Every structure is written in structure tokens, then in C-alpha cells.
Amino acid sequence: MAAGKTSLLSRLCSEGSDRIVPTTAAQWSGVKYVQKKRLWGFSIKAVPFPNAILNVKELGGADNIKKYWCRYYQGSQGVVFVLDSASSDEDLEAARAELHSALQHPQLCTLPFLILANHQDRPAARTPNQIKKYFELEPLARGKRWILEGTSTEHMDGVKEVFSQFILLLEDKDTPPARI
């Protein structure tokens, strides 16, 4: 929660920051209107890149939404997992548990993963290598195709570049596993 999924996705779609509505504020019991904007707990966007268009299903990280995540897994060709690299130890542990669960889910376990350690511009941010070690990615993701990269909405050229690399991973089933 509050990892920056919505901000990264909105910036990738070249939307202004005034239109960003976090998915964490959503309620699944019905439609909730806030300032004339609907909040559902998820969003679907087509993200244009020079060589592809990614149809991204953004799933909110609030506890009341997580139980519905698996309903959106079918048909996925890859997974983008965004975590707040500057979060508290408790929140980082929760993100670790969610990533471990996703990497082992039957509908996701064979898919390429892009793990974004977001908020690298914050003083308390952990480096991608620290995240890799803490999340135990080497043994967990053995045999899987994955990328771990530090990101920030302040450096969108880097975010676009890592998505371009992820697109190559999606296209090439023979790419060797593990990359950082």
C-alpha cells in the first residue's frame, strides 16, 4: 500500500498528477465517489511504448482489496510488483510476504516478474541489492525470468527503460532467468 503504483502508472500514461486517484482508498462494497472520481480498488490502463502497448491491471494494496487479486490473474503474461523501498520494516515484511505468495501462485509462477523498488529518491530507501537480499529473491525466483530495479517518479526515463527491458523479457521466452 502506498508504494506508488498509481503514480508510476499515471506518469507512464502521461497523465497529469492532478488526475491521480490512489486505488488504496477504494471500497469493494460498491462505488464510492470522491470529488466526482470513481474508486474501485483497481484500474486498467493501456500503457503505450514504442514497440508495444501493455494492458496493465493495477490492483490496490489495501487489505480489503487483496483478497480479490486472484480474480485478475487469469490471462496475465507478466507481473509488475511495486514496493515502497523506503517503507517501515513492518510494511516491507508485508510486501515480502505478498511477493512470495505471488511468485508461488499457480497462475503467476511461470510468468516473468518486474519488481520495482520505488521511492529511491527518499533518504530511507533501501537499494535494489538490499531488497534482493531481504526478499531472498535468488532462491525464491530460481528458474524464473525477473528484473529488480530501483525507481522513482522523479526519474521516469529510467522507469520507461526498465519497462522496455521487461517487454523484451515478455517477448523472449528463452531469456535466461534472474537479472538485477
Side-chain angles (χ1 to χ4, degrees), residues 60-76:
D63 287 338
N64 64 330
I65 296 169
K66 288 179 186 177
K67 61 185 171 188
Y68 297 102
W69 282 0
C70 61
R71 294 183 182 187
Y72 297 92
Y73 293 169
Q74 189 168 347
S76 295

Side-chain angles (χ1 to χ4, degrees), residues 42-56:
F42 72 95
S43 68
I44 300 173
K45 293 187 186 238
V47 184
F49 288 93
N51 57 340
I53 295 174
L54 295 181
N55 291 313
V56 178

